[in-house]
Amino acid sequence: MCGRFTIDASEKEILDEYDLQGPIHDFQPRYNVAPGQPVLAVIHDGQKKRAGFLKWGLVPSWANDPKIGYKMINARSESAHQKPSFKRLLARKRCLIIADSFYEWQKTEEGKQPKRISLENRKLFTFAGLWDKWDQDDEAMYTCTILTREANDFMQPIHHREPVILPKDKEDDWIEPIVHDPQDMHQFVMSLPDQPLHAYDVSTIVNSAKNESEACIKPLIS
């Protein structure tokens, strides 16, 4: 799964990297993004790409209780095209979720060791995401989920799942404003190549979502 990530970048870096028009309202670097919190995402409205915040934890438009979002922070890419919660979103509501690293916890004899994982060849990257609008009793909520897949060879010793990270040249293809068959998008995700990853140990302060500072990403000195 993917349960925490970071976005240690300036607004200008993000605007330049994704060819966006600013400003990004209320943006600030984040060092311990957790489920239930706003995440920076990019969609295509049919005319241009737009950046904004979505709540992490998908609440489908048909849901009776928005609390379902806490159970839907991730969607398994292997079966999303078959699930009612995700199938129609794969067809028409795909988004980029911007990050510069994510955390995972590796089991050791001493307990679970948190690691910060980033890409070797670029600073900013995006997770493949799905989003939806929940609207009930005049209350609107925009939420999202991150697609995951089986871990690659690098991630296997750390965790058996990993987020789907889009290659740079596939990001625009993912959010293009065209309705696709969910099966086609399933094949798109399954065909994505592994991205080269790098990891290092960080402090257990990241275990608590209340901790939100640069100390979260500081390499742990043994």
Side-chain angles (χ1 to χ4, degrees), residues 153-165:
D153 290 343
F154 178 88
M155 281 295 297
Q156 276 289 349
I158 302 173
H159 197 272
H160 67 284
R161 302 289 295 177
E162 64 174 308
V164 173
I165 297 174

Side-chain angles (χ1 to χ4, degrees), residues 189-206:
V189 174
M190 292 297 101
S191 68
L192 295 174
D194 288 346
Q195 299 300 290
L197 301 173
H198 167 74
Y200 62 82
D201 293 349
V202 293
S203 168
T204 54
I205 64 171
V206 303

Side-chain angles (χ1 to χ4, degrees), residues 28 47 54 62 105 115 124 154 178 201 216 222:
Q28 59 182 352
Q47 296 183 343
L54 302 171
W62 46 260
W105 282 256
K115 290 180 174 289
L124 289 169
F154 178 88
I178 299 173
D201 293 349
C216 292
S222 58

Side-chain angles (χ1 to χ4, degrees), residues 64-196:
N64 293 321
D65 187 349
K67 292 180 181 178
I68 193 176
Y70 290 99
K71 299 179 181 179
M72 301 179 71
I73 66 170
N74 292 158
R76 294 176 67 93
S77 60
E78 298 90 340
S79 58
H81 63 300
Q82 300 171 332
K83 303 292 184 181
S85 298
F86 310 125
K87 184 176 181 178
R88 65 181 181 83
L89 305 183
L90 265 177
R92 63 179 66 239
K93 290 187 175 180
R94 301 174 299 274
C95 63
L96 307 175
I97 298 173
I98 302 174
D100 79 314
S101 74
F102 62 97
Y103 296 113
E104 196 51 82
W105 282 256
Q106 183 176 29
K107 291 182 180 179
T108 71
E109 293 181 356
E110 292 74 32
K112 290 187 176 181
Q113 173 59 53
K115 290 180 174 289
R116 185 188 185 207
I117 302 156
S118 58
L119 262 62
E120 286 188 344
N121 55 1
R122 54 191 166 116
K123 177 179 178 180
L124 289 169
F125 60 85
T126 57
F127 302 125
L130 305 174
W131 69 277
D132 206 357
K133 177 185 178 182
W134 181 83
D135 197 347
Q136 195 173 95
D137 298 327
D138 297 322
E139 178 186 0
M141 185 185 304
Y142 295 85
T143 64
C144 65
T145 188
I146 294 173
L147 289 174
T148 65
R149 66 181 192 177
E150 289 188 7
N152 61 24
D153 290 343
F154 178 88
M155 281 295 297
Q156 276 289 349
I158 302 173
H159 197 272
H160 67 284
R161 302 289 295 177
E162 64 174 308
V164 173
I165 297 174
L166 291 160
K168 184 63 183 175
D169 63 354
K170 297 295 184 180
E171 290 176 335
D172 287 347
D173 293 338
W174 177 248
I175 60 168
E176 65 178 347
I178 299 173
V179 177
H180 290 286
D181 185 282
Q183 179 64 39
D184 291 340
M185 297 315 297
H186 169 70
Q187 293 298 327
F188 175 92
V189 174
M190 292 297 101
S191 68
L192 295 174
D194 288 346
Q195 299 300 290

Side-chain angles (χ1 to χ4, degrees), residues 14-20 49 98 124-126 168 171:
I14 293 168
L15 294 176
D16 290 347
E17 178 70 18
Y18 296 101
D19 192 24
L20 298 165
K49 291 187 288 187
I98 302 174
L124 289 169
F125 60 85
T126 57
K168 184 63 183 175
E171 290 176 335

